[in-house]
Amino acid sequence: MEQYLPQQVLELVEDISGQAAKQKQRVYLVGGVVRDLLLRDPSLRSGLRFDLDLVVEGDAVKLAQQVAETSQAKLLAHRRFGTAKLRYENFTLDLATARKETYAKPGALPTVTPGTLQDDLLRRDFSINAMAISLASKGYGKLVDPHEGQTDLEHRLIRILHPRSFSDDATRILRAVRYEQRLGFRLEAQTAQLLKRDIHMLDTISGDRIRHELELIFKEKRPEFVIKRLAELGALSRISPFLKGDGWIAEKFDRARRLKKPTQLPSLYFCLLIYSFSVTEIEQLLARLNIPAKLSRAMHDTLRLKTKLPFLDTSPLKPSEIYYLLREYEPLAIQVNAIASEPSMAQRYLQLFLTKLRYVRTSLDGEELKRLGISAGPEMGKVLQLLHKAKLDGEVRTKADEKKLALSLSPKL
Ligand code: ATP
Ligand code: MG
């Protein structure tokens, strides 16, 4: 911990440990950070990815309140769930009261009751995520590993904790593959068998939860590996029979990453996944994943524009014509088509729109046109549009050019 946690985080963890001791509560570091510490993951040091999970045997909300009083943290408590979030400038801490979970039926959210650390580790997804580090003053830094997570880390295996794990919560199927591909691990033999047996349990998971897991996949460095593997295991077609994880997807995901900022990538990946879909196939996926309106518009636009590409490819167009043709589409749909299409005239038009045309503005505005004697209303609208077209096509450059053109247009109108 001393080697891999940023100083600020380490001090805070020590502070929490002290406060917990005063309240006679036991607190542990759990989940991803424990796994990554044992893997000596260098990205821990950068402090970029900080969300720490702590489990409290006792009352997490009470402990969080205490810590918030003596530090610069914003506290967000959920009494009902026994959880609290402490938000610092560069990272967040999640504190949860140790709990036991039971599943009334597959795919449902679990019923939660307070429990011990052992209960809390048993409800987790994989052995490598089911370890804890004690922060109690007696035994500070001691590893708690009841499910042989450390051995699985050494053997590079993803292993579930009991045979009903995937049917209790089939999002774990998607999580298993995500960790497998991120870490370069393998599914342990029985886990792989159970995963295949329980693939159909994905049907019990709500659209929102599946979508959330896909979003997590899209935050990975190489989501195409995860998608390909999900296809291989039959999980992708269980979500929608039309989804593919082939070489085309891999190539386009890679291209998207080289062109776009990380925040824009998830929506781009979604639209690339449906690039070969028909309208009905899109409709089916939108319904299954409960896709929000904006993304759903972008998906439909992606397809609508795709069918226009042959026309764009065979028609020499002026910049103003390109602009007025493309402006009715969601910019995301234009980006997706620029990435998904092959080098062509159509692709150059799309890129021209995205990098230049959509930012072109006239120098004159309505106020200035009024001063030139052009009255507000349809006439002015027309003049502004003609000026904009002339500017797009390079027929006017300076403000003086625009004035001249406006004055020559106005009497004709
Ligand atoms: P990451 O590096 O992806 O953030 P993480 O292990 O921190 O990895 P989170 O999604 O932040 O993953 O979840 C925190 C912990 O909660 C996990 O380590 C795991 O123990 C547990 N967990 C999360 N989702 C599930 C689930 N569906 N079933 C069981 N346990 C889960
Ligand atoms: Mg995490």
Side-chain angles (χ1 to χ4, degrees), residues 243-381:
L243 287 170
K244 289 192 199 76
D246 53 14
W248 187 90
I249 289 288
E251 185 197 322
K252 301 306 175 190
F253 273 32
D254 192 52
R255 178 139 196 256
R257 235 177 355 256
R258 276 184 280 121
L259 294 173
K260 289 292 151 203
K261 292 197 208 92
T263 50
Q264 300 174 307
L265 285 172
S267 325
L268 268 175
Y269 291 146
F270 265 122
C271 291
L272 286 169
L273 278 181
I274 56 94
Y275 201 69
S276 63
F277 279 29
S278 68
V279 175
T280 5
E281 290 164 1
I282 291 185
E283 290 292 346
Q284 202 185 74
L285 187 78
L286 293 178
R288 174 64 183 104
L289 299 186
N290 193 25
I291 301 241
K294 190 168 165 56
L295 182 56
S296 122
R297 247 193 337 268
M299 286 183 171
H300 276 302
D301 273 8
T302 296
L303 201 57
R304 218 156 50 84
L305 180 55
K306 183 187 167 193
T307 57
K308 273 267 171 57
L309 294 184
F311 167 74
L312 285 178
D313 225 15
T314 47
S315 332
L317 295 171
K318 291 202 289 189
S320 59
E321 290 170 319
I322 301 172
Y323 176 83
Y324 281 95
L325 231 149
L326 292 180
R327 72 164 184 175
E328 62 174 291
Y329 297 92
E330 288 281 329
L332 180 61
I334 303 178
Q335 257 145 15
V336 176
N337 275 281
I339 291 167
S341 59
E342 296 308 313
S344 58
M345 187 152 81
Q347 195 186 56
R348 284 197 299 279
Y349 286 167
L350 299 177
Q351 271 153 356
L352 184 67
F353 177 88
L354 289 169
T355 55
K356 289 224 181 88
L357 303 183
R358 66 173 163 157
Y359 302 115
V360 170
R361 301 278 179 274
T362 56
S363 310
L364 292 180
D365 60 17
E367 279 309 307
E368 286 166 303
L369 287 180
K370 258 196 235 165
R371 268 180 258 136
L372 293 177
I374 298 166
S375 51
E379 183 195 357
M380 183 178 293

Side-chain angles (χ1 to χ4, degrees), residues 6-7 16 35 71 73 102 104 129 144 156 204 216 220 222 260 305 336-337 342 346 372 384 402 408:
Q7 193 54 31
I16 292 178
R35 174 196 70 221
S71 66
T102 46
N129 286 345
V144 185
R156 308 173 75 79
T204 65
L216 291 177
E220 295 290 322
R222 306 294 302 267
K260 289 292 151 203
L305 180 55
V336 176
N337 275 281
E342 296 308 313
L372 293 177
L384 278 170
E402 285 186 28
S408 74

Side-chain angles (χ1 to χ4, degrees), residues 78 87 89 135 165 175 232 260 281 308 324 345:
H78 295 283
R87 206 184 284 283
E89 214 175 311
L135 300 179
S165 185
R175 296 177 64 85
E232 234 169 68
K260 289 292 151 203
E281 290 164 1
K308 273 267 171 57
Y324 281 95
M345 187 152 81

Side-chain angles (χ1 to χ4, degrees), residues 30-33 35-36 49 51 53 101 103 123-126 128-130 169 171-172 175 178-179 182 209 213 216 220:
V30 285
V33 71
R35 174 196 70 221
D36 293 341
R49 44 147 298 184
D51 59 326
D53 290 302
E101 284 182 353
Y103 289 83
R123 75 177 174 85
R124 288 174 186 263
D125 46 7
F126 312 114
I128 60 166
N129 286 345
D169 176 359
T171 63
R172 291 172 187 161
R175 296 177 64 85
R178 181 158 61 88
Y179 289 117
R182 181 203 295 177
R209 291 186 68 208
E213 289 300 328
L216 291 177
E220 295 290 322

Side-chain angles (χ1 to χ4, degrees), residues 209-242:
R209 291 186 68 208
I210 299 257
R211 198 181 68 247
H212 176 65
E213 289 300 328
L214 289 174
E215 283 160 0
L216 291 177
I217 291 170
F218 292 158
K219 285 190 189 146
E220 295 290 322
K221 275 210 185 91
R222 306 294 302 267
E224 60 273 25
F225 293 171
V226 185
I227 296 294
K228 176 168 183 252
R229 181 77 167 124
L230 287 172
E232 234 169 68
L233 292 163
L236 202 60
S237 58
R238 198 77 212 182
I239 297 171
S240 156
F242 315 110

